[in-house]
Amino acid sequence: MSTQLTLQAPTALPPSEVPNYLQTLWGEGLQGSDGATTFTLVVYEASWLQQHLIRTGRADGPLTGLLEPELIKAAKQAVPELGLPLSTAVMDQRLAWELGQQPGHHQAQDLRGQFVAAAISAHKPRRLITLAPTLDEGQTLETLVAAYCPLPDEGAGGTACGDVVVLRGGRGSLHQSLELIHPLIRDDLPCWVWWNSSLDEAPELLEALAPPSRRLVVDSSLGHPRRCIDLLVRCIKAGQAVNDLNWLRLRTWRESLAMVFDPPSRRTALEQVVQLDIDVEGDHPLKGLLLAAWIADRLGWHLVESYDIPGNGDGDGIGASFERTDGAAVQLRLMPVPVGSPKIHPGALVGLRLICAPQGRPPLCVILCSESGGCMRLEAGGMASMELAEDVVPLPNESEEVELARLLAGGHDSTNPLLASAASIAARLLPA
């Protein structure tokens, strides 16, 4: 059993007193402890959706920043009430914006930064700094400081392992607080910056918080696709260690596709792919493009061109032509499809179809589908003449905090090379 941690009562301080208080805390208040020598974690925790659901009376408090089941249920119920398409994902920024236009003045206790997920606290961050922007843009900066301490019955005595700093206020006041934040980030420990919000938001603040020397965690499903993929590519080119939660959610799809071609009788078929079809929820194509880019990179395809495909009411699709290593052509078709119960994040994968045409053998059709999506659309079109390999992809129901904890456990002081290659191709696949 991992060491449990408990949070001491937070102390509200004037911003200017935070550095001195922390020095006093470790130098006098927690004598005999130098604190954990692990890492600093800086989190931008906007939680606009939860803030608006609470403000409009659709959800109860407190405000924690965590996607609890009750919050997800309230968000899904709000989609049809606001006249949004049923394919609108819970974290689609348009849902938070529409909620922002609704009346309401309900309030709840704000525990962002104080309510730390167990998956993250288990790694004992030396310092956890949370920036918590408020709906009131004019709210002045408030700061809270607390310490993490092992529970006495775990045999660790009163030794503190880390501290917590929460900065809460309007985005303007948070941006002005950078002079306070930077001295709190120790140079002798790794620093992770988790931008837990849309990548369209506050680009100057993101750039200031996450220079290339710090490890950046983003979610490319949150924000305009072009902005998201361009930011990924720019950070990778700058040599920054960047991690994308949207990419991590592709893990089971990549593993399932690899398993289909594990049998020796199918491996040579990978060299004879002629068509790749991907269906996604809604109109955010980036997750599908990252998967297509990973396939193209692993199989050595050369991108010839990409183009828009006019949609039928669910949004435009994306088409592309690749050239295989033997000079033959491969066609990509990525399309948005209507779904009645979308997943949490925009652009979730519904299904994938890969058609191979090996010489002297019947064509092979591989179809993968998510647990919530059927394969019927991908099964249409001459499948009877092909060898069919069909499978359902198990989708892990893990929170962002669990995915982040996995990153923290692995170190990752550089960008995953598979992501680096895929992001570059995906950027070129996305039509201008």
Side-chain angles (χ1 to χ4, degrees), residues 168-181:
R168 185 170 57 219
R171 280 183 294 188
S173 64
L174 291 179
H175 199 283
Q176 294 171 4
S177 71
L178 289 173
E179 293 183 359
L180 166 66
I181 296 173

Side-chain angles (χ1 to χ4, degrees), residues 10-292:
T11 301
L13 295 171
S16 60
E17 295 182 12
V18 170
N20 289 336
Y21 178 86
L22 289 172
Q23 287 183 351
T24 302
L25 177 70
W26 290 100
E28 300 176 6
L30 298 169
Q31 292 180 358
S33 172
D34 295 327
T37 55
T38 50
F39 57 90
T40 300
L41 175 60
V42 180
V43 183
Y44 180 78
E45 186 71 80
S47 307
W48 301 122
L49 175 67
Q50 189 177 16
Q51 289 195 70
H52 282 304
L53 286 172
I54 292 174
R55 182 188 60 79
T56 57
R58 290 176 166 85
D60 298 323
L63 174 58
T64 63
L66 303 179
L67 276 176
E68 303 288 357
E70 296 79 8
L71 183 69
I72 295 171
K73 181 180 179 181
K76 289 189 173 183
Q77 289 176 343
V79 168
E81 294 175 5
L82 298 173
L84 291 168
L86 294 180
S87 58
T88 302
V90 169
M91 293 301 294
D92 191 315
Q93 303 303 299
R94 287 167 291 193
L95 174 57
W97 188 89
E98 287 290 349
L99 284 168
Q101 312 309 305
Q102 307 303 308
H105 300 283
H106 293 272
Q107 295 182 347
Q109 188 178 13
D110 190 345
L111 297 181
R112 285 176 293 172
Q114 305 171 55
F115 198 98
V116 185
I120 294 176
S121 65
H123 294 288
K124 301 181 181 180
R126 174 61 176 79
R127 179 159 292 159
L128 175 59
I129 303 172
T130 300
L131 285 78
T134 58
L135 294 177
D136 181 3
E137 292 285 1
Q139 181 171 328
T140 57
L141 186 66
E142 302 173 352
T143 53
L144 297 170
V145 180
Y148 268 119
C149 302
L151 292 176
D153 59 6
E154 292 293 332
T159 303
C161 69
D163 54 52
V164 171
V165 180
V166 180
L167 299 97
R168 185 170 57 219
R171 280 183 294 188
S173 64
L174 291 179
H175 199 283
Q176 294 171 4
S177 71
L178 289 173
E179 293 183 359
L180 166 66
I181 296 173
H182 291 314
L184 301 180
I185 300 175
R186 290 175 46 169
D187 294 333
D188 59 335
L189 296 178
C191 177
W192 297 76
V193 177
W194 180 20
W195 189 263
N196 192 19
S197 192
S198 168
L199 291 174
D200 294 338
E201 182 182 341
E204 299 86 0
L205 182 58
L206 171 57
E207 184 175 350
L209 284 175
S213 60
R214 296 175 187 166
R215 305 172 186 184
L216 176 62
V217 181
V218 298
D219 188 340
S220 65
S221 74
L222 305 180
H224 189 276
R226 175 52 65 187
R227 158 73 179 166
C228 292
I229 193 61
D230 284 351
L231 183 141
L232 275 178
V233 171
R234 184 171 67 252
C235 291
I236 292 169
K237 286 184 176 179
Q240 186 167 17
V242 58
N243 298 273
D244 180 14
L245 298 180
N246 201 29
W247 163 261
L248 294 180
R249 296 185 201 107
L250 283 173
R251 181 172 52 250
T252 52
W253 287 88
R254 293 187 284 122
E255 291 173 351
S256 296
L257 187 59
M259 289 174 62
V260 168
F261 289 96
D262 267 349
S265 60
R266 288 182 183 162
R267 290 178 188 171
T268 57
L270 276 173
E271 301 173 1
Q272 305 296 327
V273 177
V274 294
Q275 185 176 336
L276 172 61
D277 300 293
I278 297 177
D279 288 348
V280 299
E281 295 179 0
D283 57 2
H284 200 293
L286 205 47
K287 188 171 185 177
L289 292 180
L290 284 170
L291 180 60

